[in-house]
Amino acid sequence: MKAAGGLILIVEDHMAIAEMVGEFLEARGYEVDFARDGADALRLTAENTYDAIILDRTLPRLDGLDVCRRIRAEQRRSTPVLMLTARDTLDDKVTGLEAGADDYLTKPFAIQELEARIAVLIRRGRKAMGGGVLRVADLVLDPEAMTVHRDGMELHLSPTGFQLLSILMRESPRVVSRQEIEREIWKGESPDSDTLRSHLYNLRKTIDRPFDNPLLHTMQTAGYKVADLSGSKSARDSAQALAATPRYAEAAVSAH
């Protein structure tokens, strides 16, 4: 089960530091993942939804600045990032923040200050996520009012359906894996194989069935996404090609 404090990724090649920070945070109610280099960090951020990332600047294979830039630009993630480094000049700090970091803490550091900064970043990130209206084409979700509209029509979803749509619209147009969805909604306790499929069926029936342009898409072997593909010929061709494959067609039938 996901810890109450949140899920944090620690990207640090110095194992003594990583273990010390990880043990301290776990003792205070956080769940922790570890990456020892930049490439592993990008793999984990693509596979999982983290509440915060503690990112060392100097890393093997890919440095922290590049990792942060790619999390923002390529993965389109807004996960709070605390950059942790021995570089302490003003230029270093400015460069880190310009790369997309939300905060910057220099080594050596007090572990209590690190925890306090992480807690602030998580609270700020959750507040921003909860307050922003999400829009994809004519589909509008308001997290604060707990309402969904499409083409001006109010749609009614179950609590799980609303949470599922929130995840997909928040990450749009990125494909979200089944594992990510299950981890966020069911806190890592995987439901039976038909539960997510049933929720997707009901969600698609509500947000797509009455309208001409489908927005909820199943991507073969990859996951699901909410996106407007109507304006892109290549996207339409890709979707048609996927629908023509036996595995996708079977999934589409079960979800409709």
Side-chain angles (χ1 to χ4, degrees), residues 201-214:
Y201 168 80
N202 289 326
L203 182 60
R204 180 177 279 112
K205 183 172 64 174
T206 302
I207 71 170
D208 279 347
R209 187 73 56 89
F211 303 96
D212 294 331
N213 178 28

Side-chain angles (χ1 to χ4, degrees), residues 63-214:
D63 72 26
L65 293 177
D66 286 334
V67 170
C68 197
R69 292 188 185 106
R70 291 175 65 172
I71 288 172
R72 302 300 190 221
E74 296 177 11
Q75 298 183 357
R76 299 170 61 90
R77 297 279 194 170
S78 58
T79 310
V81 174
L82 172 67
M83 192 162 285
L84 191 62
T85 177
R87 302 186 182 189
D88 59 359
T89 69
L90 177 59
D91 285 345
D92 287 328
K93 294 177 181 179
V94 169
T95 301
L97 295 174
E98 287 178 344
D102 298 276
D103 200 357
Y104 198 103
L105 185 62
T106 57
K107 302 175 182 177
F109 58 89
I111 190 67
Q112 293 85 356
E113 181 182 1
L114 173 63
E115 183 198 9
R117 289 181 181 235
I118 284 294
V120 169
L121 289 178
I122 291 176
R123 286 197 303 269
R124 186 187 304 161
R126 288 174 176 171
K127 182 177 180 180
M129 186 188 303
V133 174
L134 303 173
R135 292 181 176 86
V136 176
D138 57 352
L139 181 65
V140 181
L141 183 148
D142 187 332
E144 288 191 348
M146 295 289 288
T147 58
V148 179
H149 291 81
R150 183 162 186 192
D151 194 24
M153 180 189 305
E154 185 170 4
L155 308 178
H156 301 282
L157 303 175
S158 68
T160 300
F162 187 89
Q163 190 175 4
L164 174 57
L165 182 60
S166 299
I167 295 167
L168 294 173
M169 290 184 69
R170 183 188 73 209
E171 300 297 333
S172 176
R174 189 177 70 86
V175 177
V176 184
S177 71
R178 179 188 184 99
Q179 291 76 18
E180 283 183 83
I181 294 170
E182 291 177 349
R183 187 166 198 165
E184 189 159 346
I185 294 179
W186 289 282
K187 311 306 179 189
E189 296 182 348
S190 298
D192 63 73
S193 60
D194 291 330
T195 299
L196 179 57
R197 182 179 297 178
S198 298
H199 284 296
L200 285 163
Y201 168 80
N202 289 326
L203 182 60
R204 180 177 279 112
K205 183 172 64 174
T206 302
I207 71 170
D208 279 347
R209 187 73 56 89
F211 303 96
D212 294 331
N213 178 28

Side-chain angles (χ1 to χ4, degrees), residues 6-44:
L7 177 61
I8 298 176
L9 175 63
I10 299 174
V11 188
E12 171 64 67
D13 63 325
H14 194 297
M15 288 309 298
I17 295 176
E19 290 174 0
M20 181 266 293
V21 173
E23 290 174 1
F24 186 89
L25 293 176
E26 286 177 339
R28 280 149 182 79
Y30 295 91
E31 184 179 351
V32 177
D33 277 352
F34 296 91
R36 297 190 64 175
D37 59 55
D40 282 344
L42 288 177
R43 176 181 59 81
L44 287 170

